Amino acid sequence: MKRTDARSARALIAAAAVLPLVMTGCSAGDTGAGDETVVLDFAWWGDTSRAERYEEAVALFEEQNPGVEVRTNFAAWGDYWSARNTEAASGSLPDVIQMDLAYLAEYGQSGRIAPLDEHVGEQIDTSALPDGLVESTQLDGQTFAIPTSTNTLATIVNTDLLGELGVEVPEGDLTWDEYDAFLADVAEAGAGEDPVVHGSVDYTQLLWLFQIWLGQQGKSLFEDGALGFTKDDLAQWWGRAAPLHEDGSFLPAERLDQLEGIDAIGAKETASEISWDNFLVRFSEGADGANLAMLPLPADDPEQRGLFLKPSLMLSMGAGSEHPEEAAALIDFITNDPEVGEVFGISRGVPASSTALEGFEPVGVDAQVAEYEAALEPQLTGSAPPPVAGFGTVETAFVRINGDLAHEAVSLDDAVDQFFTEAEAALAAGR
């Protein structure tokens, strides 16, 4: 089957599998048992664009491993983790799952996913990964995930839309107050447009951006398994939002609800968004060919930006996999194969593996993302928060309570108190 045919056929299968399914990790036969086929289950979160790419990569793997069949399943972020938690409770996680730092400790320390160290150097080659990247996926010296790509946050602006509004593209370093003033200029210029153009969505909803802001203050989300910041810190961060909602700098929370599944910057209802740099690919696809630029994040002290490269996507193995060698081989293939690198480009982040990067020459928005991360190297003064059990629950609470605050359903003080109560309980339960 040609690669394009395989992609189309498997994408149709994937589209039918959007709803989370409970996978069992069973197989049609034993490894090496005659001509019987080994069956692996593989699950990830993402949209249909990511699913199409994964399906093409899986088709390539099956072509090169004719004794292995891979059953695939994907869902949106929230549904994905709900399904994985259900499977974990019954010991039936898929053989290979996409993993995030927010859930690494919870799944690793509870024995839900398997250490991969015995496969490193055998089925899994980590020699092409940057120094220190694999260490970020380790717990107590054991490796529980393999990073397939990296990303970091960026200020993304629609330069074409700014030109139409008569607002200059920011140049040089901006403080947080200067960035807010830029958003206000956009909102003022865009008030008479149809649709109305706002400066940005509410950036205070991003927990990872809060981590970067904390890093600019010399702090971190977590310290010794507990919260590493104070209520005053969170009140200062979340408190930035109220005046920006009042003057229209932020897209109204109610409108953001209506746009669920549609990027506001792609719909030209905002001219700026702080988001993951690899989202530039998706934003560009939705912005009708508009020129998008990536700018450094705001920082009050350019010498202390709090920036770091995050493993954007990782792959882990379910602890109950009956075929760990084949599962490890799939992890290696998705991480390192040059043709897989070509399939994904920069859509999942900059490929972590140098061999995956050999599969393509970044052009267009892919090149923008790669060049952005390369230019940041001297400014990476921060680090990702340490993986702790309960991280995922903390992130969910952060986004939900921030949403209530944006809808004026709760006061700032009550929102901060509620977050600390829920976060501290989640971290305590994970110890």
Side-chain angles (χ1 to χ4, degrees), residues 242-412:
L244 298 174
H245 278 294
E246 290 172 3
D247 67 8
S249 295
F250 281 165
L251 184 77
E254 295 77 11
R255 181 56 182 158
L256 184 61
D257 294 339
Q258 295 169 354
L259 287 174
E260 184 176 5
I262 301 174
D263 298 312
I265 192 170
K268 295 185 177 181
E269 295 200 24
T270 62
S272 175
E273 181 160 340
I274 294 178
S275 189
W276 297 108
D277 56 6
N278 60 298
F279 282 17
L280 183 72
V281 178
R282 190 179 84 191
F283 292 164
S284 297
E285 290 173 349
D288 295 328
N291 290 310
L292 305 182
M294 288 194 296
L295 311 176
L297 292 183
D300 293 334
D301 180 1
E303 300 300 318
Q304 184 69 1
R305 295 182 180 272
L307 292 172
F308 54 87
L309 289 182
K310 172 184 176 288
S312 56
L313 295 178
M314 305 180 288
L315 296 176
S316 294
M317 182 192 302
S321 175
E322 297 178 8
H323 304 290
E325 292 185 358
E326 288 83 358
L330 177 59
I331 290 173
D332 176 81
F333 187 82
I334 298 296
T335 302
N336 289 310
D337 187 80
E339 287 190 88
V340 173
E342 180 185 6
V343 167
F344 277 95
I346 305 292
S347 65
R348 58 178 176 175
V350 176
S353 168
S354 59
T355 58
L357 272 171
E358 292 172 0
F360 71 105
E361 182 68 31
V363 297
V365 293
D366 282 358
Q368 278 184 266
V369 177
E371 291 166 3
Y372 174 76
E373 289 198 9
L376 285 182
E377 188 172 349
Q379 303 172 4
L380 299 177
T381 60
S383 58
V388 297
F391 191 162
T393 302
V394 170
E395 183 172 18
T396 299
F398 187 94
V399 175
R400 171 173 45 79
I401 296 170
N402 177 273
D404 291 341
L405 184 61
H407 284 86
E408 299 182 333
V410 63
S411 69
L412 176 60

Side-chain angles (χ1 to χ4, degrees), residues 53-78:
R53 291 179 168 92
Y54 264 129
E55 293 296 341
E56 185 170 354
V58 165
L60 290 170
F61 177 78
E62 290 178 334
E63 288 173 11
Q64 298 184 28
N65 297 271
V68 181
E69 175 189 343
V70 182
R71 301 187 301 199
T72 59
N73 170 249
F74 75 101
W77 170 268

Side-chain angles (χ1 to χ4, degrees), residues 36-96:
E36 293 182 348
T37 300
V38 169
V39 179
L40 299 176
D41 289 317
F42 177 26
W44 65 87
W45 72 82
D47 58 10
T48 54
S49 176
R50 177 175 294 173
E52 290 176 358
R53 291 179 168 92
Y54 264 129
E55 293 296 341
E56 185 170 354
V58 165
L60 290 170
F61 177 78
E62 290 178 334
E63 288 173 11
Q64 298 184 28
N65 297 271
V68 181
E69 175 189 343
V70 182
R71 301 187 301 199
T72 59
N73 170 249
F74 75 101
W77 170 268
D79 291 337
Y80 174 85
W81 288 111
S82 294
R84 302 294 81 78
N85 288 337
T86 299
E87 294 161 351
S90 61
S92 60
L93 279 172
D95 299 273
V96 177

